[in-house]
């Protein structure tokens, strides 16, 4: 019976594989269907400690069975294991969820819903200081700030193309017998703001920023404090420009992000996004944009 249950979950995983590669690993007389790799010999794992366990829904879906997830760490020597366990204890004191509760910065309540944090007076003071900081920084760079609604018709997101690609991550409702979606991103609103009047090429580049409140469906098993939530404010921008201005505008955005990240001590790496198989728009436009991205990042001297 236990084997049948385990096999059922393994088969479910196989059904969801996209690459079609299925690997099998042997450990003594135990054969496991697993992505792997496994160690050659369990003697390599003698300096180990189980550090926590948690109940999680299968695939993070509350409609599925609850599973027990067990976490463990393993090191070549007992000394390295001890050092790691000491670091884990120190990290607990730096956990933002612990600090947020102790300093009365933010809270969550199941009556509101999981992944929907609320900021308390002290936390909101920090929030406002951050908002003032970034808005002032962006205004100096010529950004104009707008605000768009938290809901829009489903037709808005069908028009933008988001519905076909992102609807599984969106929350919906019905108002006056019409289907609406709670805003998962600021893009459609930003485009409609631009369309309110005709623009000359002399108006460009036009930089419009929005600190927009968005809601996205995250699996319950993935939710984590303020790091992984279902409701957050996204400092977003939509820049309207000519093709000739793309490279310089990208450089400006990268320098803005680098300035903010450096101020707060955030480390990051850069990846160049190229045209995926499932994409909208003409290849020529993708090629021009990709090349502008590549040239901008190269001229700034960043690795990617």
């Amino acid at each position: 019976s236990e084997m049948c249950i385990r096999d059922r979950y393994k088969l479910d995983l196989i059904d969801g594989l996209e690459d079609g590669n299925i690997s099998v690993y042997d450990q003594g007389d135990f054969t496991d269907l697993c992505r792997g790799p496994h160690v050659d010999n369990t003697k390599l794992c003698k300096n180990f400690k189980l550090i926590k366990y948690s109940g999680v829904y299968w695939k993070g879906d509350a409609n599925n069975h609850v599973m027990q997830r067990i976490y463990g760490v393993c090191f070549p020597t007992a000394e390295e294991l001890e050092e790691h366990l000491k670091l884990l204890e120190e990290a607990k004191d730096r956990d933002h969820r612990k600090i947020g509760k102790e300093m009365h910065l933010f809270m969550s309540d199941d009556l509101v819903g999981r992944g929907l944090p609320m900021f308390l007076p002290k936390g909101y003071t920090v929030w406002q200081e951050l908002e003032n900081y970034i808005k002032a920084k962006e205004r100096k760079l010529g950004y104009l700030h707008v605000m768009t609604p938290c809901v829009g018709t489903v037709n808005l997101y069908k028009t933008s193309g988001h519905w076909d690609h992102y609807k599984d991550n969106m929350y919906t409702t019905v108002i006056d017998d019409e289907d609406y979606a709670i805003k998962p991103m600021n893009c459609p609103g930003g485009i409609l703001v631009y369309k309110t009047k005709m623009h000359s090429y002399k108006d460009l580049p036009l930089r419009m920023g929005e600190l927009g409140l968005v809601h996205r469906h995250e699996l319950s098993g993935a939710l984590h404090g303020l790091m992984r939530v279902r409701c957050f404010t996204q400092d977003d921008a939509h820049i309207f420009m000519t093709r000739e201005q793309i490279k310089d505008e990208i450089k400006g955005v990268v320098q803005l992000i680098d300035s903010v990240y450096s101020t707060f001590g955030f480390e990051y790496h850069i990846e160049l996004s190229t045209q995926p198989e499932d994409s909208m728009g003409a290849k020529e436009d993708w090629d021009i944009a990709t090349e502008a991205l590549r040239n901008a990042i190269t001229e700034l001297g960043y690795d990617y």
Side-chain angles (χ1 to χ4, degrees):
S1 174
E2 182 181 335
M3 182 64 74
C4 290
I5 292 174
R6 187 171 65 82
D7 288 348
R8 186 176 73 205
Y9 290 118
K10 293 286 185 179
L11 290 170
D12 191 18
L13 288 176
I14 291 172
D15 288 338
L17 287 178
E18 295 181 0
D19 58 11
N21 292 323
I22 301 173
S23 51
V24 175
Y25 283 84
D26 294 319
Q27 204 76 57
D29 58 359
F30 174 66
T31 299
D32 190 23
L33 190 69
C34 182
R35 187 180 294 275
H38 285 196
V39 293
D40 294 329
N41 194 307
T42 52
K43 287 182 180 178
L44 297 171
C45 303
K46 65 180 180 179
N47 298 299
F48 79 93
K49 185 174 179 62
L50 300 181
I51 54 176
K52 65 177 180 176
Y53 67 91
S54 62
V56 293
Y57 293 110
W58 175 244
K59 293 188 172 179
D61 188 339
N63 295 315
N64 290 334
H65 288 103
V66 175
M67 316 285 287
Q68 289 298 319
R69 178 179 288 161
I70 302 172
Y71 300 82
V73 291
C74 173
F75 285 88
T77 66
E79 291 75 20
E80 288 173 285
L81 173 62
E82 193 62 34
E83 179 64 25
H84 180 74
L85 295 177
K86 189 185 300 181
L87 289 174
L88 289 181
E89 284 301 313
E90 293 173 358
K92 286 181 182 178
D93 292 330
R94 297 192 301 269
D95 191 307
H96 78 282
R97 293 168 297 179
K98 181 174 184 286
I99 293 171
K101 185 175 182 179
E102 292 175 347
M103 297 184 69
H104 305 289
L105 300 176
F106 66 92
M107 61 170 285
S108 59
D109 194 303
D110 287 345
L111 199 57
V112 175
R114 294 197 61 202
L116 303 171
M118 294 180 287
F119 285 82
L120 303 175
K122 291 180 180 179
Y124 190 51
T125 298
V126 176
W127 174 291
Q128 288 174 304
E129 289 300 316
L130 289 171
E131 184 174 0
N132 293 337
Y133 160 79
I134 195 64
K135 279 187 172 178
K137 202 172 187 66
E138 290 171 351
R139 277 194 292 267
K140 287 182 180 178
L141 295 172
Y143 284 83
L144 304 172
H145 291 98
V146 300
M147 183 174 71
T148 61
C150 279
V151 295
T153 68
V154 165
N155 282 334
L156 169 65
Y157 296 100
K158 287 182 178 178
T159 301
S160 69
H162 287 103
W163 186 252
D164 290 337
H165 296 82
Y166 204 74
K167 61 185 174 187
D168 290 342
N169 298 90
M170 296 168 65
Y171 298 115
T172 58
T173 187
V174 177
I175 304 175
D176 295 335
D177 297 325
E178 186 173 4
D179 292 328
Y180 278 74
I182 301 176
K183 181 170 72 170
M185 68 278 294
N186 302 310
C187 316
I191 301 297
L192 290 178
V193 169
Y194 176 78
K195 285 180 63 180
T196 53
K197 66 175 185 177
M198 295 289 289
H199 295 274
S200 164
Y201 69 94
K202 295 178 182 178
D203 298 330
L204 306 179
L206 181 59
R207 307 182 187 104
M208 290 197 299
E210 178 176 11
L211 272 71
L213 184 66
V214 297
H215 291 73
R216 301 178 181 182
H217 179 63
E218 294 283 353
L219 297 175
S220 60
L223 299 175
H224 178 79
L226 296 179
M227 300 293 191
R228 198 71 178 266
V229 291
R230 288 172 171 167
C231 168
F232 60 94
T233 296
Q234 181 166 299
D235 179 23
D236 210 352
H238 298 91
I239 303 178
F240 302 90
M241 68 198 91
T242 65
R243 284 183 171 181
E244 293 73 28
Q245 294 168 335
I246 295 177
K247 184 180 70 174
D248 287 339
E249 287 302 307
I250 293 296
K251 289 171 74 172
V253 170
V254 173
Q255 288 170 323
L256 168 61
I257 293 172
D258 182 72
S259 170
V260 174
Y261 278 19
S262 298
T263 297
F264 290 96
F266 295 148
E267 296 180 358
Y268 66 94
H269 71 276
I270 297 172
E271 296 180 2
L272 175 65
S273 293
T274 56
Q275 184 175 8
E277 289 184 14
D278 183 16
S279 63
M280 300 169 65
K283 184 178 184 302
E284 178 191 2
D285 292 330
W286 275 91
D287 289 344
I288 290 172
T290 303
E291 192 61 21
L293 285 168
R294 182 183 288 109
N295 289 337
I297 209 67
T298 302
E299 289 182 17
L300 287 171
Y302 291 121
D303 293 326
Y304 65 91

